[in-house]
Amino acid sequence: MSKKVIRPYNGPAGGWGALRSVAKHLLEQDVPVHGARTLLSANQPDGFDCPGCAWPDRDHTSTFEFCENGAKAVAAEATRHRATPELLGQYTVAELAGYSDQWLENLGRLTHPMRWDAASDRYLPIAWDEAFARIAAHLNALDSPDRALFYTSGRCSNEAAFLYQLFVREYGTNNFPDCSNMCHEPSGTAMKAQLGIGKGTVQLHDFEIAEAILIFGQNPGTNHPRMLGELRKAAKRGAAIVSFNPLRERGLERFADPQDALEMLHDGSTRISSDYFQLRIGGDLAAVKGMIKRTLEVDAQAQRDGRERVIDLDFIAEHTQGFEAFAAEVAGESWDTIETESGLTRAQLERAGDIYLQAKSVICCWGMGITQHKHSVATIQMLCNLLLLRGNIGRPGAGPCPVRGHSNVQGDRTMGIYEKPAPEFLDRLRDVFGFEPPREHGHDTVGAIEAMLDGRCTTFFGLGGNFATATPDTEATHRALRGCDLTVHVTTKLNRSHLVHGRDAYILPCLGRTEIDIQEAGAQAVTVEDSMSMVHLSAGINAPASPELLSEPAIVARLAAATLGERSKVPWLWLIGDYDRIRDRIAAVFDDFHDFNRRVRVPGGFHLTNSAAQRRWTNPEGKALFKAHAVPTDLPVHRARAGREQPVFTLATTRSHDQYNTTIYGTNDRYRGVFGERRVLFIHRDDIAELGLQAGDWVDLESLCEDGVQRIARRFLLVEYNIPRGCLAAYYPETNALVPLSSFADEARTPTSKSIPVIVYAHQPQPAQGLRSARDIGLVRID
Ligand SMILES: Nc1nc2c(c(=O)[nH]1)N[C@H]1C(S)=C(S)[C@@H](COP(=O)(O)OP(=O)(O)OC[C@H]3O[C@@H](n4cnc5c(=O)[nH]c(N)nc54)[C@H](O)[C@@H]3O)O[C@H]1N2
Ligand SMILES: Nc1nc2c(c(=O)[nH]1)N[C@H]1C(S)=C(S)[C@@H](COP(=O)(O)OP(=O)(O)OC[C@H]3O[C@@H](n4cnc5c(=O)[nH]c(N)nc54)[C@H](O)[C@@H]3O)O[C@H]1N2
Ligand SMILES: [Mo]
């Protein structure tokens, strides 16, 4: 274990620290000499799409953009470490489960398909054909296709996702839980109802002209480092950048661009946020409503004074519905409630409102700090209400900008990875392919866990991801997976989901983005869609990690052929001979992908139509809707506080700088000043005192939920931090055991990972349970 150090970090994000960190990771991963060439090919027209995040590239044709965390993601895939059958054969699964997630990750790339052998409790190699035949036999023996679940993580390409949903629907179910259910689902749900489309309207060039950029619940310095380049340019030209975040994130404060030689040589940096509002966790709806209230008050005053109105009356009249009722509801909300629930003062909110009013064009960005609450959908609709007031949707430099996570999570949805598919889409599948797809809605992620727990589902298939660790309520989820008759994972590396398996279990290793994919017609490229709806090509440049690996489209197609056989209407094996054939089918199903093969070969790719960006409102009302929402005052945390003497905190689970979701690269969180430890709890100094504890003490966390289940996560180091009182932050996934399965966003069912009511007490060591609990909830064995 490396040494634990807690040391406030006052430098900028980026800078030399970022370069040093990349060098360290390249060395640790033992990336081959051509590793540098690999990094230089990320996001290049003839290279691969960076597996790091979904932030777009300048036309995908620019010169290399340095990104520390993109480089780590690439290095993790291009590593020289190999988890061969010989290596894995040395351990029983019970032994492997005793190790940390980081240790599993460091075993390296999987090289062979494997099947769990019950007699020896080991994963042993199996031939591809045999694996497909056995999985197919299992699927065909189920009394209903709805017994099986087909999970997707957001890294797979459009081609793989399209074939996957096609296979699963021809097989007969819409059971598509996906990572999006835990991520930006509320963004899609909120905007689809309100604006008619579930995607952001903004493109990269809008960042060049926006006069204000508001950033809610997002930490781009760590999770979307290339976004800092855009923010830096905007700050330099004088745009207002306003952050709303309970934590003062370094990347939102100062940034040194490693690409700017002068800035680097002179140890300079650029201020990013012009204003920073440290609101309470879950306080965004109240804060935005305060800004709206300010806007409407200023407007009313202007009206009384006979001055020009500050809201866009023409836009409201022509394009929206519900304004009068909405304005009346806002007027009825008291400043008291708004201040208490947001944790900001009226003066601060008026200031924020005035920044909004002074800017001719405003972009609103948001991330997981907004989407992982009970009231996420309402909060996002409040953000869109704010934009609508001054016509900030559908014109240059303005609009909503949900910043997506996984590099193709948006594309996977576009391709039909959705448990509630639209009837028109299913009609198209039927017409193009000639089979009748299932119409009944399937399970989302929470529904999938519930269905495994009560035995409705018995089979789990994962295309990427780490379901056992990414999902809420770790104990329940693990029980759910272990109860399955079959678990199968398509993956690049070993992770905990492969160790928390069903009675029969397979690991199917696939090619990564960085690798050359050879099929019958030669080397293939795939396509992805970024967070701003640009679709472009991605082609690997490295030799595969093992000659045994198959591409994701090939795995899906061969499994489909094995399962559906003669009864299939789809020429599976022919389709994967040349991915142009898959793209032609995609074009036949989605009008927006017309002429797909030609348009995607134009450097930079093409932009998908966005109706809201064109001010066409495709919801049933045919208008952008003002949606009134009261500031919530009866959330689980309010209820948990009522009548309890002991302080009840709101815990947000968040990412460190050294992780990619459940993939842990290291134990440092440089910008937050934490080194060598992940089990930390960020807490206000006065709260530590009130608990009668001291910084550096170890504590246990217990979540409070009305379902009567006791959920405890043990042994976290108290770190005194600049965070509002009553609010806590700790890392995901160590804290997932605290997120109740029954606690999710209204309408969107996203687990409430950013607002868990918890109590905190001195750590109570648990003798004897050591290894068993390590197996169950993935605690770290300290090597
Ligand atoms: N290097 C790296 N890149 C990644 C990822 C990764 O793990 N590592 N993950 C990818 C994925 S899948 C995603 S979805 C994105 C996630 O990227 P982000 O959306 O940035 O995700 P988080 O780090 O979970 O949390 C974001 C921020 O929300 C703040 N926050 C917490 N609660 C609240 C609240 O109630 N209100 C407000 N306003 N803020 C709050 C936290 O302080 C934190 O700064 O990044 C993607 N990119
Ligand atoms: N408490 C809490 N829980 C959360 C969150 C949170 O903020 N707090 N965030 C949620 C969010 S936003 C998300 S998106 C989910 C993430 O949920 P997932 O997408 O399920 O998890 P990841 O950790 O991104 O998946 C990592 C695994 O993907 C596999 N992999 C990597 N590259 C490839 C590839 O090219 N192909 C294939 N087939 N497999 C590959 C590797 O095995 C790796 O171990 O977690 C959610 N869970
Ligand atoms: Mo995500």
Side-chain angles (χ1 to χ4, degrees):
M1 281 268 296
S2 44
K3 210 167 132 222
K4 292 189 220 327
V5 180
I6 309 293
R7 168 175 13 99
Y9 177 84
N10 298 315
W16 292 106
L19 293 182
R20 268 196 297 274
S21 156
V22 167
K24 174 171 163 279
H25 279 89
L26 288 176
L27 276 176
E28 270 174 18
Q29 295 294 344
D30 193 13
V31 174
V33 196
H34 60 274
R37 189 169 79 84
T38 309
L39 289 185
L40 288 168
S41 295
N43 294 335
Q44 294 305 299
D46 53 351
F48 56 87
D49 182 68
C50 177
C53 73
W55 187 257
D57 267 292
R58 291 243 138 242
D59 304 329
H60 213 75
T61 57
S62 66
T63 49
F64 169 70
E65 265 191 289
F66 172 82
C67 168
E68 175 192 349
N69 280 350
K72 284 186 205 162
V74 170
E77 192 175 292
T79 179
R80 226 194 304 233
H81 303 174
R82 296 286 179 271
T84 58
E86 293 72 38
L87 180 69
L88 292 185
Q90 293 171 21
Y91 301 90
T92 63
V93 168
E95 284 165 349
L96 287 171
Y99 286 93
S100 71
D101 292 341
Q102 193 185 350
W103 188 91
L104 298 175
E105 162 74 17
N106 282 341
L107 292 177
R109 293 288 301 277
L110 289 155
T111 58
H112 288 75
M114 315 274 276
R115 181 183 186 208
W116 178 64
D117 173 55
S120 63
D121 186 30
R122 280 167 220 269
Y123 272 107
L124 303 179
I126 181 173
W128 278 108
D129 278 335
E130 193 186 343
F132 289 134
R134 284 174 179 272
I135 299 167
H138 175 101
L139 290 174
N140 284 326
L142 294 178
D143 60 0
S144 154
D146 290 329
R147 296 251 182 251
L149 298 160
F150 295 88
Y151 178 69
T152 316
S153 169
R155 260 200 206 180
C156 73
S157 62
N158 288 332
E159 289 73 8
F162 182 79
L163 289 189
Y164 188 51
Q165 64 80 32
L166 189 63
F167 157 51
V168 172
R169 292 201 163 102
E170 192 176 22
Y171 169 66
T173 182
N174 283 312
N175 280 342
F176 287 107
D178 70 349
C179 70
S180 201
N181 296 145
M182 299 182 269
C183 185
H184 266 292
E185 192 73 59
S187 306
T189 306
M191 293 193 295
K192 186 119 197 12
Q194 193 172 19
L195 308 174
I197 183 166
K199 300 181 186 182
T201 64
V202 165
Q203 293 187 55
L204 216 41
H205 53 75
D206 292 309
F207 279 78
E208 290 168 14
I209 47 176
E211 292 191 5
I213 301 168
L214 314 182
I215 303 168
F216 292 85
Q218 209 209 323
N219 181 19
T222 287
N223 298 318
H224 304 92
R226 284 177 299 114
M227 179 176 172
L228 290 189
E230 300 303 324
L231 295 179
R232 176 176 176 269
K233 276 184 254 165
K236 278 189 181 300
R237 66 176 170 77
I241 298 180
V242 187
S243 293
F244 295 81
N245 199 310
L247 306 186
R248 288 196 82 91
E249 304 286 21
R250 241 5 234 161
L252 290 169
E253 297 190 307
R254 292 206 83 82
F255 174 52
D257 189 348
Q259 250 136 206
D260 184 326
L262 268 183
E263 200 163 76
M264 292 295 279
L265 278 175
H266 295 105
D267 262 346
S269 62
T270 305
R271 177 182 56 68
I272 299 294
S273 294
S274 41
D275 283 84
Y276 208 116
F277 295 104
Q278 270 182 284
L279 77 185
R280 279 174 51 173
I281 292 174
D284 302 81
L285 190 153
V288 179
K289 202 162 179 185
M291 293 167 71
I292 291 173
K293 199 169 166 73
R294 170 67 174 179
T295 304
L296 294 176
E297 286 176 1
V298 172
D299 186 63
Q301 189 61 45
Q303 210 176 350
R304 283 195 294 276
D305 297 349
R307 282 183 286 117
E308 199 187 333
R309 302 282 295 270
V310 303
I311 59 173
D312 187 339
L313 289 174
D314 293 342
F315 174 82
I316 291 174
E318 188 184 342
H319 290 288
T320 73
Q321 187 175 305
F323 173 70
E324 298 299 327
F326 170 73
E329 200 274 348
V330 173
E333 189 82 77
S334 79
W335 275 111
D336 253 10
T337 308
I338 289 175
E339 288 187 298
T340 312
E341 297 303 322
S342 67
L344 299 176
T345 62
R346 180 168 175 176
Q348 285 177 304
L349 291 169
E350 289 181 347
R351 156 101 191 133
D354 290 346
I355 298 170
Y356 174 71
L357 280 171
Q358 280 152 19
K360 288 205 193 69
S361 49
V362 179
I363 291 176
C364 267
C365 301
W366 69 89
M368 296 300 101
I370 292 298
T371 63
Q372 297 175 335
H373 298 278
K374 183 152 193 312
H375 52 300
S376 292
V377 170
T379 305
I380 293 158
Q381 292 185 336
M382 201 55 75
L383 284 170
C384 292
N385 289 332
L386 177 71
L387 292 171
L388 288 173
L389 282 179
R390 286 170 50 82
N392 273 311
I393 299 185
R395 66 176 160 75
C401 180
V403 182
R404 308 269 165 183
H406 270 301
S407 47
N408 197 39
V409 62
Q410 187 159 314
D412 292 348
R413 263 300 156 86
T414 307
M415 289 296 112
I417 302 292
Y418 191 30
E419 72 278 2
K420 295 182 283 197
E424 307 78 60
F425 160 67
L426 296 178
D427 292 345
R428 279 301 271 274
L429 276 189
R430 178 198 57 207
D431 297 346
V432 171
F433 291 98
F435 66 86
E436 192 55 59
R439 301 276 161 171
E440 215 172 294
H441 289 176
H443 293 303
D444 59 11
T445 292
V446 167
I449 298 168
E450 289 168 344
M452 285 187 274
L453 280 173
D454 66 21
R456 276 171 295 151
C457 290
T458 57
T459 302
F460 179 95
F461 186 99
L463 185 60
N466 187 356
F467 192 86
T469 306
T471 48
D473 228 340
T474 311
E475 190 276 328
T477 300
H478 284 198
R479 208 163 5 100
L481 287 168
R482 286 190 207 288
C484 283
D485 291 329
L486 172 69
T487 49
V488 184
H489 294 273
V490 179
T491 183
T492 48
K493 291 200 177 165
L494 191 70
N495 68 38
R496 193 148 310 269
S497 297
H498 315 140
L499 310 178
V500 182
H501 57 77
R503 275 174 280 282
D504 194 5
Y506 297 81
I507 300 175
L508 308 180
C510 64
L511 292 173
R513 285 268 176 89
T514 52
E515 288 158 339
I516 300 166
D517 176 358
I518 305 276
Q519 303 294 340
E520 203 183 289
Q524 301 296 313
V526 292
T527 62
V528 292
E529 173 185 341
D530 66 32
S531 199
M532 296 182 190
S533 309
M534 289 295 303
V535 179
H536 51 75
L537 282 174
S538 170
I541 59 155
N542 289 340
S546 146
E548 287 289 317
L549 301 184
L550 294 182
S551 74
E552 288 174 326
I555 291 175
V556 172
R558 285 177 61 177
L559 178 61
T563 308
L564 304 171
E566 295 291 299
R567 73 179 190 270
S568 181
K569 307 275 193 213
V570 181
W572 294 104
L573 302 179
W574 178 78
L575 280 178
I576 53 158
D578 181 344
Y579 295 174
D580 277 4
R581 297 169 188 160
I582 307 176
R583 285 187 284 270
D584 282 339
R585 293 299 207 276
I586 293 174
V589 172
F590 303 102
D591 293 338
D592 228 9
F593 284 80
H594 66 87
D595 226 356
F596 191 7
N597 276 308
R598 185 188 59 77
R599 285 158 78 220
V600 83
R601 286 190 165 82
V602 175
F606 62 93
H607 187 245
L608 294 173
T609 314
N610 186 300
S611 48
Q614 302 169 341
R615 296 193 166 175
R616 285 190 294 115
W617 318 103
T618 52
N619 50 358
E621 295 82 355
K623 295 278 182 197
L625 307 180
F626 278 99
K627 291 266 194 182
H629 294 287
V631 172
T633 52
D634 188 31
L635 294 169
V637 66
H638 295 103
R639 294 202 293 275
R641 278 192 183 127
R644 232 191 212 87
E645 292 283 303
Q646 196 177 11
V648 174
F649 296 88
T650 312
L651 169 72
T653 63
T654 189
R655 293 156 169 78
S656 84
H657 196 63
D658 265 1
Q659 74 182 86
Y660 192 91
N661 297 339
T662 67
T663 301
I664 310 300
Y665 302 135
T667 50
N668 297 345
D669 193 5
R670 200 166 74 244
Y671 301 152
R672 299 199 187 106
V674 174
F675 301 87
E677 181 60 63
R678 282 186 52 86
R679 301 187 77 84
V680 295
L681 185 67
F682 298 104
I683 181 169
H684 191 281
R685 174 200 315 181
D686 297 345
D687 283 329
I688 302 182
E690 192 183 340
L691 289 169
L693 296 167
Q694 292 189 330
D697 284 351
W698 292 91
V699 295
D700 293 343
L701 294 166
E702 180 169 343
S703 78
L704 303 173
C705 176
E706 285 143 356
D707 65 3
V709 178
Q710 192 182 45
R711 298 179 179 84
I712 302 180
R714 296 195 191 277
R715 217 178 65 83
F716 289 81
L717 185 70
L718 281 183
V719 174
E720 182 185 314
Y721 209 71
N722 182 354
I723 182 172
R725 287 207 62 186
C727 299
L728 303 173
Y731 302 132
Y732 134 71
E734 284 81 350
T735 41
N736 284 41
L738 298 170
V739 188
L741 191 58
S742 58
S743 176
F744 44 71
D746 295 335
E747 297 176 69
R749 291 167 53 87
T750 300
T752 54
S753 307
K754 292 285 189 284
S755 49
I756 315 166
V758 295
I759 51 174
V760 177
Y761 41 80
H763 172 53
Q764 301 168 357
Q766 301 293 295
Q769 274 187 0
L771 252 187
R772 202 175 54 80
S773 70
R775 172 163 186 157
D776 284 349
I777 57 176
L779 294 183
V780 181
R781 174 194 279 183
I782 306 210
D783 298 327

